[in-house]
Amino acid sequence: QAADSKREQFRRYLEKSGVLDTLTKVLVALYEEPEKPNSALDFLKHHLGASAPENPEIEALRLEVAEMKERYEAVLEENKKLKTKVKGY
């Protein structure tokens, strides 16, 4: 009887803290995946990690990547224009 009581307390704790809801959502997402991933554990880790607070360093790196992509596109465009000019000579 004491074990049942402890289990029930633990279940209420998980429910109150949002753990059950979060786990249920991730498991439902896995269930609804049309093509199941090779590693269900990696799927869970990825989706649970997505709800963790963002590390400021990660956000800074994302911004840097976005800037680099823009610069890359600009360089490609400039390269294209220069190739066209060279062909004209």
Side-chain angles (χ1 to χ4, degrees):
Q1 186 116 23
D4 286 342
S5 175
K6 281 187 176 186
R7 254 190 233 134
E8 183 58 27
Q9 286 177 344
F10 186 64
R11 188 196 62 73
R12 282 195 304 259
Y13 162 73
L14 292 176
E15 190 173 347
K16 185 177 174 184
S17 62
V19 171
L20 288 180
D21 187 46
T22 300
L23 284 175
T24 300
K25 286 178 182 175
V26 173
L27 289 172
V28 167
L30 176 59
Y31 175 78
E32 292 176 345
E33 275 293 307
E35 291 185 33
K36 302 297 182 240
N38 290 333
S39 172
L41 186 56
D42 285 345
F43 181 91
L44 294 175
K45 285 178 182 178
H46 172 76
H47 283 77
L48 288 173
S51 62
E54 272 298 322
N55 180 337
E57 239 180 86
I58 292 173
E59 186 55 33
L61 289 172
R62 280 195 179 116
L63 289 172
E64 187 177 348
V65 166
E67 288 173 19
M68 292 295 171
K69 283 180 179 177
E70 286 180 26
R71 288 174 57 190
Y72 172 75
E73 293 298 325
V75 167
L76 282 180
E77 188 60 35
E78 181 183 11
N79 187 21
K80 194 176 179 180
K81 287 177 183 176
L82 289 172
K83 282 182 178 180
T84 304
K85 272 187 178 179
V86 168
K87 282 183 183 177
Y89 288 109

